[in-house]
Amino acid sequence: AQSVAQPEDQVNVAEGNPLTVKCTYSVSGNPYLFWYVQYPNRGLQFLLKYITGDNLVKGSYGFEAEFNKSQTSFHLKKPSALVSDSALYFCAVRPDTGRRALTFGSGTRLQVQP
Amino acid sequence: NAGVTQTPKFQVLKTGQSMTLQCAQDMNHEYMSWYRQDPGMGLRLIHYSVGAGITDQGEVPNGYNVSRSTTEDFPLRLLSAAPSQTSVYFCASRQVAGDTQYFGPGTRLTVL
């Protein structure tokens, strides 16, 4: 069975500082990894994905994530946080075989203080 | 191109009532799925479909039915609503062999 762990319920960071939101995963075979963001009373918006290739992937709004196969991690990062980045962030995984469903972590609330 | 649409946006039911949550996509995606979102639990998969006429259960299927008569539509039926089904429901779609999954705006359901 596949699973995702987001160990932090909430991350607090000051505006302008770098941020990291942690994610570790478990899956059979090669992983497809995703980050989604959810703003209040909205659906999930796709941020970025790792499918294959370069371990550092860049996504929307200046976010990036690093795939680490040995540590089974896919941490989300941004060099300089904005107050507008405050939202709920979800990590998700599925194997690279097409029919499998996406499994989500429990989410991490990012709070960026001015 | 509207993407994934869901109706209604909000619904209040009494225990025992039935209803159908609608989901449609216009991207010709074979794969569609329903999730529920509860605080502190992320999104949990209810049912999914890999094409018209094919459905399967997810992690939390009890109390819900689905059908897939067309590629575009994937309705979720609550047979006899219970307070434990109070949640926010999201529909999503993607190509079967594709990577990125697209989500609808959600339906907030309250069962009294």
Side-chain angles (χ1 to χ4, degrees), chain B residues 2-108:
Chain B
V4 182
T5 58
Q6 293 183 236
T7 57
K9 291 186 178 177
F10 301 95
Q11 184 70 49
V12 179
L13 293 178
K14 295 181 179 178
T15 296
Q17 287 184 316
S18 63
M19 78 159 294
T20 299
L21 308 185
Q22 301 292 344
C23 173
Q25 52 89 14
D26 60 1
M27 298 175 281
N28 202 31
H29 287 169
E30 305 103 327
Y31 188 103
M32 296 186 74
S33 52
W34 278 101
Y35 291 85
R36 59 177 289 173
Q37 182 182 19
D38 301 293
M41 302 187 74
L43 279 76
R44 292 181 292 169
L45 182 67
I46 304 171
H47 286 284
Y48 66 98
S49 168
V50 297
I54 307 169
T55 63
D56 207 347
Q57 295 181 351
E59 182 184 354
V60 288
N62 292 341
Y64 307 96
N65 272 359
V66 291
S67 59
R68 186 93 180 270
S69 56
T70 67
T71 299
E72 294 78 18
D73 300 298
F74 190 45
L76 178 72
R77 296 183 186 85
L78 280 71
L79 309 173
S80 177
S84 60
Q85 294 179 304
T86 294
S87 188
V88 181
Y89 292 84
F90 289 101
C91 180
S93 74
R94 70 165 201 262
Q95 298 288 352
V96 170
D99 43 43
T100 305
Q101 190 152 286
Y102 298 91
F103 284 83
T107 295
R108 186 175 295 274

Side-chain angles (χ1 to χ4, degrees), chain A residues 32 34 36 38 41-46 49 51 88 90 94 97-107, chain B residues 31 35 37 40-43 45 48 50 54 90 94-106 108:
Chain A
Y32 282 5
F34 303 84
Y36 285 84
Q38 185 180 33
N41 301 312
R42 303 290 296 274
L44 274 73
Q45 296 179 29
F46 169 75
K49 65 186 177 188
I51 303 300
L88 188 57
F90 290 99
R94 70 172 178 92
T97 50
R99 287 182 169 230
R100 299 298 296 275
L102 203 56
T103 296
F104 285 83
S106 56
Chain B
Y31 188 103
Y35 291 85
Q37 182 182 19
M41 302 187 74
L43 279 76
L45 182 67
Y48 66 98
V50 297
I54 307 169
F90 289 101
R94 70 165 201 262
Q95 298 288 352
V96 170
D99 43 43
T100 305
Q101 190 152 286
Y102 298 91
F103 284 83
R108 186 175 295 274

Side-chain angles (χ1 to χ4, degrees), chain A residues 34-81:
Chain A
F34 303 84
W35 277 101
Y36 285 84
V37 60
Q38 185 180 33
Y39 297 100
N41 301 312
R42 303 290 296 274
L44 274 73
Q45 296 179 29
F46 169 75
L47 264 186
L48 52 79
K49 65 186 177 188
Y50 171 83
I51 303 300
T52 186
D54 196 350
N55 289 345
L56 184 65
V57 294
K58 296 187 183 296
S60 307
Y61 313 121
F63 283 93
E64 58 189 28
E66 186 166 11
F67 170 63
N68 187 317
K69 188 172 184 177
S70 63
Q71 296 186 4
T72 60
S73 66
F74 190 56
H75 301 329
L76 181 70
K77 300 181 180 184
K78 188 174 182 181
S80 179

